[in-house]
Amino acid sequence: MKVAIASGKGGTGKTTISTNLSAYLAEKRSVVLADLDVEEPNAKLFLDIELAKSEIKYKMIPEWNENCSLCGLCQEVCNFNAVIKLNTQIMVLPELCHSCYACSELCPENSLKMIPQKIGIMNIYKSDGLDFIESKMDIGQEQAVPLITKTKDYIKNNFDNKVLAIFDSPPGTSCPVIEVIKDCDLILLVTEPTPFGLHDLKLAIETAKQLHKPCAVIINRAEQGNLLINKFCAAENIDIIAEIPNDRQIATLYSGGQLLYNELPEVKKQLQNIEDYIDLFNYGGSYA
């Protein structure tokens, strides 16, 4: 089962939920946590876990050679304007290339050979019960999606179906988030009870609906009497499965890079609620 921890905006507590939930569940079952916020991953800050290996990741881009009739077919078939025909040469813009191979495969003179370009690094960490995968883009790279895709492929090829995969997603609703959640079984949306939190939660829920993905909500920094998110979710028939309290001690532990659930019983209780929901969903039960 693949579960994405996502949010409509940054700073709502995705990484807090992802790391604490993964460590908590790893005490009982096999879990792989992937930090797929590849532009600036930070889940490792909260995990005491050893590096097992690192892998450099590449994407394939076309390289032009002069054995070319300048027919312009490559420019016509490129949907991303990454290949441009000039008077005397073909210009390739690697930053725009999506590695679709159309220009290379359809070139009648085989003038656009695909070559690897380094896009980032993937680190694999291991401990008892918990495997952690962290990928980070190289500075100057503009597309997060290729590295996210390669990280997900690694998990698919190296872990069996009995392992629970938890994806710490990038914030927002743009292409990197779509790539993370498009083949997940369940989306857990972390929000906060503020007007900004509600606004961006609505965007995230609409994104999940467009992809036909079931989702549930976790309220972080919840305050007694603040029912802004509760009222919206009740009207939309969306489950709220956990509410993490707005507690100064949580902020203190978080700022020190510590996990919360062993220190705060209420947080552990909320993680149990999330686990119960995941298990019910996985086995086709209902949530009340």
Side-chain angles (χ1 to χ4, degrees):
M1 185 178 180
K2 297 185 287 295
V3 178
I5 312 295
S7 67
K9 65 183 288 292
T12 58
K14 288 185 295 78
T15 299
T16 302
I17 299 298
S18 298
T19 52
N20 279 272
L21 180 63
S22 298
Y24 173 72
L25 294 178
E27 296 176 356
K28 313 172 186 181
R29 64 179 85 183
S30 296
V31 176
V32 54
L33 168 63
D35 191 341
L36 297 180
D37 189 0
V38 299
E39 294 179 75
E40 196 58 52
N42 65 345
K44 174 63 178 63
L45 296 173
F46 304 92
L47 300 172
D48 183 14
I49 196 167
E50 294 186 359
L51 178 66
K53 64 176 179 176
S54 297
E55 295 183 4
I56 296 174
K57 293 300 178 183
Y58 302 87
K59 75 173 184 178
M60 304 300 290
I61 61 169
E63 182 180 62
W64 180 72
N65 63 65
E66 295 183 357
N67 180 31
C68 176
S69 64
L70 296 173
C71 67
L73 178 62
C74 53
Q75 177 176 278
E76 293 177 20
V77 301
C78 181
N79 288 329
F80 307 102
N81 301 311
V83 183
I84 300 174
K85 175 183 174 295
L86 304 177
N87 286 335
T88 59
Q89 68 181 75
I90 299 296
M91 178 182 290
V92 176
L93 304 175
E95 295 82 6
L96 299 180
C97 179
H98 284 59
S99 304
C100 71
Y101 281 74
C103 62
S104 179
E105 294 292 333
L106 296 175
C107 176
E109 283 84 28
N110 295 318
S111 299
L112 288 162
K113 179 183 177 182
M114 299 297 285
I115 62 170
Q117 181 191 68
K118 181 174 178 286
I119 56 174
I121 189 169
M122 183 177 72
N123 295 319
I124 298 98
Y125 300 82
K126 289 184 177 290
S127 69
D128 293 338
L130 177 62
D131 291 88
F132 173 58
I133 316 294
E134 174 194 72
S135 292
K136 187 171 185 177
M137 289 169 55
D138 283 351
I139 294 173
Q141 289 294 324
E142 298 186 10
Q143 295 180 43
V145 170
L147 187 54
I148 291 172
T149 301
K150 289 183 179 298
T151 307
K152 290 169 57 185
D153 288 343
Y154 177 87
I155 294 171
K156 180 180 178 181
N157 295 330
N158 289 275
F159 295 91
D160 64 38
N161 293 331
K162 295 180 181 179
V163 176
L164 175 63
I166 297 177
F167 296 156
D168 186 3
S169 305
T173 56
S174 59
C175 293
V177 179
I178 302 298
E179 178 61 27
V180 172
I181 70 176
K182 68 181 184 181
D183 56 359
C184 283
D185 302 295
L186 176 65
I187 318 299
L188 301 183
L189 297 172
V190 184
T191 189
E192 57 191 14
T194 65
F196 288 117
L198 177 59
H199 174 272
D200 292 335
L201 174 64
K202 291 177 180 178
L203 296 178
I205 289 172
E206 182 60 29
T207 301
K209 287 181 178 179
Q210 290 294 324
L211 294 173
H212 306 290
K213 295 296 177 181
C215 63
V217 168
I218 298 167
I219 302 177
N220 191 29
R221 294 188 284 272
E223 296 177 325
Q224 188 173 5
N226 187 338
L227 301 177
L228 183 66
I229 303 298
N230 306 69
K231 291 179 179 179
F232 169 76
C233 290
E236 296 294 322
N237 196 29
I238 297 170
D239 293 328
I240 296 176
I241 62 174
E243 298 188 36
I244 310 298
N246 188 12
D247 188 327
R248 184 180 179 86
Q249 191 174 357
I250 290 177
T252 300
L253 292 168
Y254 178 87
S255 64
Q258 299 181 55
L259 295 175
L260 308 175
Y261 67 92
N262 284 326
E263 303 292 333
L264 302 172
E266 178 58 29
V267 173
K268 193 170 190 176
K269 176 183 175 184
Q270 297 301 319
L271 295 178
Q272 181 63 58
N273 291 342
I274 298 172
E275 179 184 19
D276 291 343
Y277 186 88
I278 291 173
D279 288 340
L280 281 169
F281 180 88
N282 195 26
Y283 293 106
S286 60
Y287 182 76

